Amino acid sequence: MSEIKMIRVGAASCGVAAGALPVLAMLKEKAGDIPVLEVGCLGHCYAEPLIEVVKKDGGSVMYGKVRADETSINNILTLAEAGRFEIPAGRKSKELVKVLRLAGRIVPTCWDDYIANGGYSALKKALAMTPQAVIDEVKKSGLRGRGGGGFPTGNKWGFLAAKTAPEKILICNADEGDPGAFMDRSLMESVPHQMLEGMLIAAYATGATKAFIYCRAEYPMAIKHLRIAIGQIYEHNYNDLNGRKIEIEIKEGAGAFVCGEETAMIHSLEGERGVPRFRPPFPTDSGWKGYPSMINNVETFGNVPLILSEGGDEYAKIGTAGGRGTKLFALAGDLRNPGLVEVPMGITLGEIVFDIGGADPDGVKAVQCGGPSGGCIPVELFNTPVDYDSLRSLGAIMGSGGMIVISKKRCMVETARYFLDFTHRESCGKCTFCRVGTTRMFETLERIVAGRGEESDLDLLESLGNKIRMGSLCGLGQTAPNPVLATLRYFRHEYLAHVRDHQCGALQCGALVDVKVDHDKCIKCKLCVKTCPVGAISADDIVVDNNKCTRCNSCIEVCPKKAISRVKKGEGVRK
Amino acid sequence: MGNFSYLSGIEPESSNLIKALQLVQAKEGYVSDDAIVEVAAYFKLAPVEVEGVLSFYAQFKRVKPGRFQIAVCDGTACHIKGSNSVFKWVSNELGISDGETDADGLFSLFTVACLGCCSLAPVMSVNGTVYGNLDRKKVAKIIKEYRAK
Ligand SMILES: Cc1cc2nc3c(=O)[nH]c(=O)nc-3n(C[C@H](O)[C@H](O)[C@H](O)COP(=O)(O)O)c2cc1C
Ligand code: SF4
Ligand code: SF4
Ligand code: FES
């Protein structure tokens, strides 16, 4: 008899992308009558495909980077030592898992699993209270919106509850527009019922009559799991809020970042172009089709069942004055252990990036918080506690929770250019400063990374940035200059190197580097010659013609001796 | 004219317009001029009104894409991890650039902002299947596999 009770395979999008499905299929085939379950994401994306073997004695063992081959699968089924995965000690000690308690531990689309783990007990509790008492509990918790703005959630609920109207609309913002953030995706895929439970509690407390989930179309698995979960709610009649039934409808986004903004989202839900409008009136006064409407983020709703279960006061014990409770962060970029983490507010950036993320302390230059609306924070300031207020004071923002670790090998000017490329294309075009201003900033940055910038460009960027902040209607324009202003503040020397010396210290900007073959290392295998798509490497003496080269890095990747590299502009010229 | 009878599953109410266009794209792969006329008639709108909404959203394609749609992620995490190079490799391999479809109608190439698998950056997807931790070899292998399909 096997001592294995069941096997859990992490099969959220990240697991699938890492190859979980063939592993799953093979395990199912070989495991006999041991149940093999598809679960969500445990957050250790760096170790995907990740498998947890739960033993009959209650203990469990994990296996990381599992391959669909005989050896890996046999290791698992025999509980071998080989291939085991241990949660890194730094992460174990610093993480505080509350919202993600069930992620990776239950089958996302299994109703019984969620119920057996205390699911919908918070809703039951709420339904036994008055709506006002529920709102008071949320106010006491100190919960602030996790979508980026950080508005006190209880207050927002109070605004909607105070309205009398024939329809009141509840909207879940699942657009997760920050390119490089995946907290909401993970939560929706792994425990779809948790955010839905939060929505039902909110609907009860505020008297909402109709609910939407606006989810980005790039998240097919999240949408699928939500659909199934909503069906289960209907089936069990859990959308009956003490005699009042509420419908939850999923609307798929159509690829516009600005639709994450509240008024734009409402326009999009009305079937219009997703253009923001001036506030007031605030959505809680006049929103979808003129009805009072309230928007909260996925993670905000995900926190609500916890607050009801443990009580607002208990919830508020974690965190700082600048933010209560725990926060999810999507860690990615230059670090050993990218993934999804949950930490208490007030933890320092250093603890997240180094202790949890396993980034190399000598290699890290900065971390970008808050995506295209945020800013970078240099490693020197990594003892900053993470909450809404302290990050803002550094010129970054908490944002929704995307954290991109940037190593010394990356160029900060190019990074700023990247963000402006994104925002200038995503501007809805309504405000001149946002539309034209971000385009001018982008063009200026393009010039600088191409080695055609001048020192006066830095002043131009600063003055444009300040004007765009002032002259833009919505958060997109108001925050679009942040990545540039933050890099100018902390990494001005990199800008100066580009405009004064036409050098990119990180050797990232293609126009400011040459590609060069080190002939002491080269063994003349000519793989690079064959690989170069533009024929820039001469076959006889293996020298790169840097006028032809497009800096595609193919030869660098393909060279078995690592003989080819980027060098400063001018150093790769044939002598 | 194509057959757009499947539209009848959607209530012709203006807030469902985007949903209808998404359905058309899911069925046809793109939103043709014909489709716009049909959708407009179905919602009792003018075709320009439909086009006005559609043109706002990056998701909608107005030309028929290839059989395999390759989306190279250029979200922040992927950008930091060298999505530029990934794009160039794919582009070189297929001989097409952003937004184009190859002559055989086999592959289309475009960039997207984040597929939510940032921890596996750089990533790309082919018809929705995501491939992570890409390097040059992997990219070439993936394209080869699809070519053979
Ligand atoms: C351009 C722009 C994009 C936004 N994108 C998102 C998003 O993707 N997800 C989100 O939850 N909030 C986003 N927000 C913030 C929302 O407008 C809104 O503040 C939030 O959803 C409110 O919910 P919360 O109070 O629970 O945070 C965005 C705001 C702006 C200005
Ligand atoms: S700030 Fe930019 S995105 Fe926002 S409404 Fe104005 S133009 Fe549109
Ligand atoms: S970087 Fe690309 S274009 Fe330049 S020499 Fe190498 S393979 Fe050729
Ligand atoms: S940045 Fe590429 S998947 Fe998120």
Side-chain angles (χ1 to χ4, degrees):
Chain A
M1 262 309 270
S2 165
E3 31 170 341
I4 300 176
K5 186 174 156 204
M6 61 171 138
I7 299 173
R8 297 184 181 132
V9 181
S13 304
C14 41
V16 172
L21 292 184
V23 173
L24 180 81
M26 199 156 172
L27 268 172
K28 279 193 169 155
E29 188 192 308
K30 305 241 164 181
D33 41 13
I34 302 170
V36 180
L37 307 175
E38 278 174 69
V39 298
C41 175
L42 276 171
H44 300 277
C45 309
Y46 53 93
E48 303 265 24
L50 184 61
I51 277 154
E52 186 176 15
V53 183
V54 182
K55 296 194 285 183
K56 285 180 178 146
D57 64 12
S60 83
V61 215
M62 287 195 270
Y63 291 85
K65 302 209 168 175
V66 178
R67 299 275 140 241
D69 57 38
E70 297 277 336
T71 338
S72 305
I73 302 297
N74 281 337
N75 282 343
I76 295 170
L77 294 173
T78 56
L79 288 168
E81 290 294 327
R84 284 201 186 184
F85 165 78
E86 295 285 346
I87 297 177
R91 175 149 180 179
K92 227 175 185 164
S93 64
K94 301 282 161 125
E95 205 177 22
L96 179 62
V97 179
K98 295 186 74 179
V99 173
L100 292 175
R101 182 177 68 93
L102 298 178
R105 299 251 138 74
I106 63 169
V107 177
T109 52
C110 176
W111 174 262
D112 293 339
D113 257 8
Y114 188 63
I115 297 291
N117 285 283
Y120 289 106
S121 58
L123 175 66
K124 289 232 166 82
K125 199 166 165 187
L127 291 178
M129 298 159 64
T130 64
Q132 186 56 48
V134 175
I135 294 178
D136 289 341
E137 217 52 56
V138 175
K139 280 188 183 163
K140 263 193 267 175
S141 74
L143 176 65
R144 291 169 67 173
R146 300 293 195 242
F151 192 84
T153 306
N155 294 4
K156 214 191 249 185
W157 289 23
F159 297 153
L160 188 67
K163 295 281 160 199
T164 38
E167 296 266 14
K168 293 204 265 183
I169 315 296
L170 189 70
I171 300 166
C172 174
N173 190 339
D175 204 34
E176 193 147 72
D178 171 358
F182 51 91
M183 304 75 50
D184 295 348
R185 169 188 67 72
S186 208
L187 191 57
M188 290 187 283
E189 287 179 352
S190 303
V191 207
H193 278 294
Q194 186 162 326
M195 135 199 158
L196 290 167
E197 183 173 3
M199 286 183 76
L200 291 170
I201 295 171
Y204 171 69
T206 58
T209 52
K210 181 165 178 54
F212 290 109
I213 299 169
Y214 190 97
C215 185
R216 69 183 314 202
E218 288 85 347
Y219 288 174
M221 188 186 287
I223 293 171
K224 182 175 147 208
H225 287 184
L226 286 171
R227 284 231 160 87
I228 296 173
I230 292 170
Q232 291 165 339
I233 290 173
Y234 289 171
E235 192 185 314
H236 293 89
N237 208 23
Y238 273 46
N239 59 330
D240 183 330
L241 308 171
N242 290 350
R244 197 166 52 77
K245 280 215 177 180
I246 179 155
E247 299 272 312
I248 303 175
E249 189 181 336
I250 299 175
K251 291 269 193 178
E252 287 181 41
F257 173 61
V258 73
C259 286
E261 196 276 341
E262 303 192 346
T263 58
M265 179 168 289
I266 288 168
H267 286 148
S268 183
L269 285 170
E270 290 169 343
E272 306 275 338
R273 293 166 73 90
V275 178
R277 64 156 171 79
F278 187 74
R279 296 179 301 178
F282 288 95
T284 42
D285 294 319
S286 174
W288 188 74
K289 298 196 169 181
Y291 299 122
S293 307
M294 183 184 83
I295 301 183
N296 274 139
N297 158 268
V298 171
E299 190 186 332
T300 311
F301 282 126
N303 272 275
V304 168
L306 283 176
I307 294 171
L308 267 289
S309 295
E310 61 184 29
D313 289 328
E314 185 63 27
Y315 180 94
K317 282 185 184 156
I318 292 166
T320 62
R324 296 285 167 203
T326 57
K327 178 77 192 86
L328 311 188
F329 286 103
L331 271 178
D334 296 315
L335 74 172
R336 185 145 36 95
N337 304 331
L340 184 68
V341 301
E342 180 172 359
V343 290
M345 297 261 197
I347 192 174
T348 66
L349 281 169
E351 286 173 290
I352 299 179
V353 172
F354 297 128
D355 300 345
I356 296 179
D360 168 15
D362 300 322
V364 172
K365 179 148 79 176
V367 64
Q368 174 80 18
C369 297
S373 313
C376 61
I377 299 172
V379 68
E380 294 77 30
L381 297 174
F382 272 20
N383 54 2
T384 307
V386 174
D387 63 36
Y388 294 93
D389 303 340
S390 60
L391 290 188
R392 195 175 297 261
S393 70
L394 296 179
I397 58 165
M398 173 102 105
S400 50
M403 250 189 209
I404 310 281
V405 179
I406 301 173
S407 81
K408 290 180 178 151
K409 290 192 197 127
R410 319 288 174 190
C411 169
M412 297 311 285
V413 186
E414 160 34 53
T415 308
R417 184 207 64 84
Y418 164 77
F419 283 118
L420 264 291
D421 184 18
F422 180 80
T423 34
H424 98 275
R425 279 186 283 126
E426 293 295 336
S427 165
C428 82
K430 182 167 176 164
C431 314
T432 313
F433 272 102
C434 175
R435 183 185 69 241
V436 183
T438 55
T439 306
R440 289 289 165 275
M441 281 185 96
F442 169 67
E443 288 165 355
T444 309
L445 289 161
E446 285 263 271
R447 251 199 335 266
I448 295 176
V449 299
R452 289 183 277 108
E454 288 161 27
E455 212 161 325
S456 60
D457 284 338
L458 308 196
D459 298 332
L460 176 68
L461 285 172
E462 251 156 14
S463 105
L464 270 171
N466 289 322
K467 283 182 186 136
I468 296 167
R469 268 184 178 170
M470 303 288 293
S472 293
L473 179 62
C474 89
L476 190 152
Q478 288 160 6
T479 60
N482 285 354
V484 182
L485 297 176
T487 41
L488 273 169
R489 177 168 164 189
Y490 297 119
F491 297 98
R492 202 174 188 89
H493 54 279
E494 293 196 19
Y495 282 86
L496 288 173
H498 283 70
V499 294
R500 280 186 189 155
D501 315 327
H502 304 292
Q503 290 296 350
C504 173
L507 299 178
Q508 210 192 338
C509 296
L512 303 182
V513 299
D514 282 343
V515 172
K516 190 180 179 186
V517 180
D518 179 346
H519 288 104
D520 294 336
K521 289 189 188 158
C522 171
I523 51 165
K524 296 217 170 351
C525 69
K526 302 201 178 174
L527 264 177
C528 57
V529 178
K530 269 182 240 143
T531 306
C532 178
V534 292
I537 310 178
S538 59
D540 44 347
D541 53 358
I542 327 273
V543 171
V544 178
D545 179 346
N546 274 289
N547 291 325
K548 261 195 193 169
C549 168
T550 64
R551 319 290 190 263
C552 77
N553 281 6
S554 293
C555 55
I556 299 175
E557 285 248 340
V558 86
C559 175
K561 289 286 156 191
K562 297 202 182 328
I564 313 179
S565 57
R566 290 178 164 218
V567 295
K568 279 185 176 178
K569 181 103 210 148
E571 288 181 4
V573 185
R574 198 193 274 258
K575 297 258 158 52
Chain B
M1 269 247 174
N3 180 2
F4 298 97
S5 56
Y6 50 78
L7 280 173
S8 62
I10 291 179
E11 203 192 326
E13 205 259 337
S14 62
S15 65
N16 286 331
L17 177 58
I18 294 170
K19 200 173 176 176
L21 292 169
Q22 283 168 334
L23 182 66
V24 169
Q25 180 151 308
K27 298 263 184 197
E28 325 277 333
Y30 72 119
V31 185
S32 62
D33 291 345
D34 285 353
I36 288 183
V37 172
E38 286 283 322
V39 170
Y42 187 70
F43 282 88
K44 299 203 166 52
L45 294 167
V48 288
E49 291 177 282
V50 175
E51 180 126 33
V53 169
L54 174 144
S55 64
F56 184 82
Y57 296 99
Q59 183 193 26
F60 295 116
K61 299 189 176 60
R62 292 286 277 112
V63 285
K64 195 175 171 63
R67 193 148 75 89
F68 302 117
Q69 303 184 32
I70 302 189
V72 176
C73 178
D74 193 28
T76 316
C78 291
H79 189 80
I80 292 276
K81 293 287 227 175
S83 58
N84 274 349
S85 299
V86 175
F87 187 85
K88 280 185 194 158
W89 299 330
V90 180
S91 168
N92 287 333
E93 198 79 35
L94 300 179
I96 50 177
S97 60
D98 199 1
E100 291 181 355
T101 299
D102 65 5
D104 321 333
L106 198 55
F107 290 102
S108 296
L109 172 62
F110 48 94
T111 56
V112 284
C114 194
L115 295 164
C117 295
C118 325
S119 44
L120 303 171
V123 311
M124 69 181 197
S125 74
V126 186
N127 286 3
T129 304
V130 179
Y131 299 87
N133 293 324
L134 296 174
D135 54 28
R136 203 180 150 276
K137 257 201 192 134
K138 260 195 191 168
V139 167
K141 191 168 153 245
I142 293 163
I143 294 177
K144 206 169 154 197
E145 278 170 16
Y146 278 93
R147 254 195 220 293
K149 276 189 188 179

